[in-house]
Amino acid sequence: MQDIILLKQGEIVLKGLNKKYFEQKLISNVKRRLRSLGEFDVTCTQSTIYVEPKSDDIDMDETQQAMTKVFGIAAVVRAAACDKTPEAMAQKAIEYMAEAMREAGSFKVETRRADKAFPMTSIEVSQYVGGELNEAYPNVEVDVHDPELVVNIEVRDLAAYVHAAPVPGAGGMPVGCNGVAVTLLSGGIDSPVSSYMIAKRGVRLIPLHFFSFPYTSEQAKEKVIELGNMLTEYCGRMTLEIAPFTHIQEEIRDKCPEEYFTLIMRRFMMRIAQRVAHDTGAKAIVTGENLGQVASQTMEAMASTQAVIDLPVLQPLIGMDKEEIITIARKIGTFDTSILPYEDCCTVFTPKHPRTRPKLSEVERAESVLDIDALVDEAVKGLEEVELRHE
């Protein structure tokens, strides 16, 4: 039997009667992610998904790495399968763990017996396999308290599996199991992280970007597309909606008091996002707002911008420290692209002294000179769609 990959489910295992729904969504996402890597048999039993290659030419290192970025998986294990006899398990451990055993100074064997009908206890299996390993590698000490290497044996329904330490998975919930949301995606550090965090909770995303050419460059748009493509490694394929925003910002600049520029701009963004949500069946809007980070992210300012919509606004970064956000951006690979010097529309016509504690009535009065419905209609009609996918 050849190597396979075992995917350990995360919080799905805590579900009750609806567990099957979440499990099927996860299996579907796993199959979709594997499609570009080769042909696999994918099965599920006892809260573990088995990924078995159908040919020997599949890159299992690449496959294992890809599986660490599928939400809903707590741990990824690359293992060798063998018959469920103590002799077969010991021989497979001696062969499969050879390199790791030669490099380790000490080891122990841990056994999990999912097949309760198997005649030996977990301790008995560990003792037998550990003894055989100790004979095969006499220079490696047995240390059951603090070993350098743990050799894992899993006795399951159809076979036994030998492996080293599991690799942490992405965690969270399978994308698509908790609905659809429109996520505002700029070229900055925060919005890719907020999108990632909501996708991790099982939400399928429709990214929306606001583009203000010629005030923002084509490079700025390409930067956002690149960020979106990076996110698909975790979020799956998405369609980026790019809304033309130049006319709206020029109208705000020409007709509204400067101190309200950013607030009114944000209110237009929310209106357009809600229109996109209604057209696509999305049930929420995601933003990368962080309380107190900038003038438009005070409680009063956020209340003002959200007052124009009736959908819930999800703000996963709202209480995070900037360094925490940067740490996640580095982890998911978006940080270096986010800091490229191509600014987005949020930096266009920035007021020198923005209102940080606005009254809603004041903001409504300031924007009343604009033909709001016509401007929103124009932006929605001008939406450009870009298909995003992980290469």
Side-chain angles (χ1 to χ4, degrees), residues 298-334:
T298 63
M299 289 185 185
E300 294 87 345
M302 287 189 288
S304 170
T305 59
Q306 294 174 25
V308 298
I309 62 172
D310 52 31
L311 287 178
V313 178
L314 309 179
Q315 300 166 298
L317 311 187
I318 197 69
M320 295 181 68
D321 183 271
K322 190 67 176 182
E323 286 303 315
E324 294 176 303
I325 299 171
I326 290 173
T327 297
I328 298 174
R330 292 186 187 279
K331 170 189 169 184
I332 64 177
T334 57

Side-chain angles (χ1 to χ4, degrees), residues 87-292:
E87 296 79 11
M89 287 185 272
Q91 186 59 38
K92 182 60 70 173
I94 291 169
E95 296 171 357
Y96 191 67
M97 303 299 297
E99 183 178 350
M101 286 293 294
R102 284 192 289 265
E103 293 177 353
S106 60
F107 82 100
K108 76 171 180 177
V109 177
E110 286 189 355
T111 302
R112 294 171 182 82
R113 191 170 56 104
D115 178 8
K116 300 305 180 185
F118 188 72
M120 298 173 67
T121 67
S122 297
I123 293 175
E124 289 171 341
V125 173
S126 294
Q127 289 174 339
Y128 179 82
V129 174
E132 296 296 302
L133 280 168
N134 192 228
E135 282 192 23
Y137 303 96
N139 295 328
V140 186
E141 294 182 359
V142 176
D143 183 349
V144 297
H145 300 294
D146 188 25
E148 290 184 22
L149 172 66
V150 176
V151 177
N152 292 275
I153 308 290
E154 296 191 34
V155 183
R156 294 185 162 270
D157 286 353
L158 301 178
Y161 302 90
V162 179
H163 62 84
V167 176
M173 301 287 286
V175 170
C177 71
N178 280 328
V180 184
V182 172
T183 184
L184 305 190
L185 185 63
S186 72
I189 297 170
D190 295 350
S191 61
V193 173
S194 65
S195 300
Y196 161 86
M197 292 181 68
I198 290 298
K200 187 174 182 177
R201 298 311 307 154
V203 178
R204 184 170 67 82
L205 297 177
I206 300 170
L208 172 62
H209 177 65
F210 298 94
F211 184 52
S212 294
F213 186 82
Y215 303 106
T216 55
S217 64
E218 284 293 333
Q219 290 99 321
K221 182 200 288 189
E222 291 302 317
K223 172 184 172 181
V224 171
I225 294 172
E226 183 179 350
L227 287 170
N229 283 328
M230 290 177 177
L231 287 172
T232 60
E233 193 167 12
Y234 293 93
C235 306
R237 285 182 289 181
M238 301 183 291
T239 299
L240 172 65
E241 304 281 355
I242 302 176
F245 209 55
T246 306
H247 188 201
I248 289 174
Q249 289 194 283
E250 289 177 338
E251 285 288 288
I252 295 171
R253 176 199 61 188
D254 294 342
K255 298 179 181 178
C256 300
E258 182 185 6
E259 60 187 325
Y260 293 107
F261 280 3
T262 303
L263 290 169
I264 296 172
M265 177 193 72
R266 296 287 298 178
R267 283 162 65 89
F268 270 97
M269 288 180 175
M270 300 303 278
R271 292 183 178 106
I272 295 168
Q274 179 157 276
R275 285 280 299 274
V276 172
H278 287 164
D279 292 345
T280 57
K283 303 301 182 185
I285 295 169
V286 183
T287 75
E289 290 167 309
N290 179 261
L291 186 62

